[in-house]
Amino acid sequence: MFNAHSMDVIAIDGPAGSGKSTVARDLAMRLGRFHLDTGALYRALTWKALDQKADLEDAAALLALLGCTALGFEGDGRILVDGVDRSKEIRTPEVTRQIYRIAEKGEVRARLRPIQRALVSGRSAVAEGRDMGSVVFPDARWKFYLDGDESVRAERRWRELVPGNPSLTREEVLTELKDRDAHDTQRAAAPLVCPPGAVRIDTTALSIEDVIEKIEKIVQRKG
Ligand code: C5P
């Protein structure tokens, strides 16, 4: 299926605002692992589809677009789309609003799967997303599922986004987060689940540092 190297993966899944991106990035840096941010790949395809005015309901058109798109990461985590840094473009509210239309399509997910595996092939990695432990890296050596109270997750997202958008309200962020969670957990293709065998961590009352320490301890125990 895919090579043994792909199992040297710490898979981290969880809903928006669970802290998984920061945890995955910092953990990867500490452990000298590659950080695979799969949300960035879904965002990149969504951004390019919007940019090219592709029909987001046309799976064949999206697959054609993906077929002629080069996706990669710089060492510092910036995403390259066709060789150009698009780290800012992929995080606009419009991309966040539209991304479910790409993420819900099984055909698109199936085509992104080998791309995700190829990106970690031959190296140890921390892979974060919504279907890491369940679908993309089912044989990952370590699996974690980060969760937390909705209002606390929304507050984290708001703090992250408000510097770039001072008029953004907490209510807007909470509504967006609820919508996204609903799409991610209820879609038919690779819905967000706590994968079998994953360690579930409730991050509601924990700092990023607490979560990283918990994960590091478990990784070292099973190392
Ligand atoms: O992690 P991030 O918030 O950037 O992910 C954006 C969206 O991309 C998620 O809400 C989800 O719809 C989609 N996604 C996914 N599967 C992944 C990673 C992200 O469906 N493995």
Side-chain angles (χ1 to χ4, degrees):
M1 196 171 64
F2 51 101
N3 69 39
H5 292 299
S6 61
M7 288 187 289
D8 188 13
V9 164
I10 301 172
I12 305 182
D13 291 300
S18 58
K20 69 184 181 331
S21 292
T22 316
V23 166
R25 191 193 57 226
D26 291 2
L27 189 70
M29 210 180 308
R30 253 194 231 191
L31 300 178
R33 288 171 168 260
F34 171 62
H35 172 209
L36 179 65
D37 174 0
T38 61
L41 300 175
Y42 282 91
R43 287 177 178 278
L45 181 59
T46 306
W47 168 76
K48 188 163 172 181
L50 291 169
D51 187 62
Q52 308 264 305
K53 306 206 179 338
D55 178 356
L56 268 55
E57 291 316 315
D58 183 347
L62 294 172
L63 290 181
L65 190 68
L66 183 54
C68 62
T69 302
L71 296 169
F73 291 94
E74 291 277 43
D76 60 4
R78 281 175 301 151
I79 184 149
L80 299 180
V81 183
D82 302 319
V84 180
D85 176 12
R86 298 291 182 191
S87 308
K88 280 213 174 70
E89 288 88 334
I90 66 163
R91 304 212 176 265
T92 61
E94 183 60 5
V95 168
T96 304
R97 250 194 313 274
Q98 301 288 347
I99 199 163
Y100 77 93
R101 299 171 68 192
I102 303 263
E104 72 185 6
K105 294 188 173 51
E107 306 94 310
V108 174
R109 304 193 72 86
R111 197 68 69 83
L112 275 170
R113 219 172 289 146
I115 295 174
Q116 295 168 74
R117 290 174 182 161
L119 282 165
V120 308
S121 175
R123 46 183 169 181
S124 51
V126 179
E128 52 134 329
R130 302 295 193 287
D131 59 350
M132 299 293 95
S134 55
V135 176
V136 181
F137 302 109
D139 298 323
R141 191 161 170 77
W142 301 275
K143 295 183 189 183
F144 296 92
Y145 185 82
L146 306 190
D147 207 350
D149 281 0
E150 206 169 63
S151 54
V152 172
R153 291 190 287 112
E155 176 73 18
R156 283 187 193 136
R157 281 280 297 158
W158 179 78
R159 282 180 192 277
E160 233 171 70
L161 297 173
V162 80
N165 182 0
S167 63
L168 189 70
T169 65
R170 288 179 164 88
E171 290 67 34
E172 284 168 329
V173 174
L174 181 62
T175 305
E176 180 260 316
L177 185 129
K178 281 183 179 172
D179 275 1
R180 210 138 59 91
D181 283 358
H183 282 299
D184 286 338
T185 54
Q186 290 166 22
R187 68 175 171 237
L192 171 65
V193 290
C194 177
V199 176
R200 190 183 197 117
I201 300 176
D202 185 338
T203 70
T204 306
L206 299 178
S207 67
I208 293 294
E209 190 53 36
D210 294 336
V211 180
I212 292 178
E213 270 177 24
K214 265 182 192 288
I215 294 181
E216 258 191 314
K217 271 198 192 122
I218 293 169
V219 169
Q220 277 157 6
R221 250 200 329 258
K222 202 176 153 188

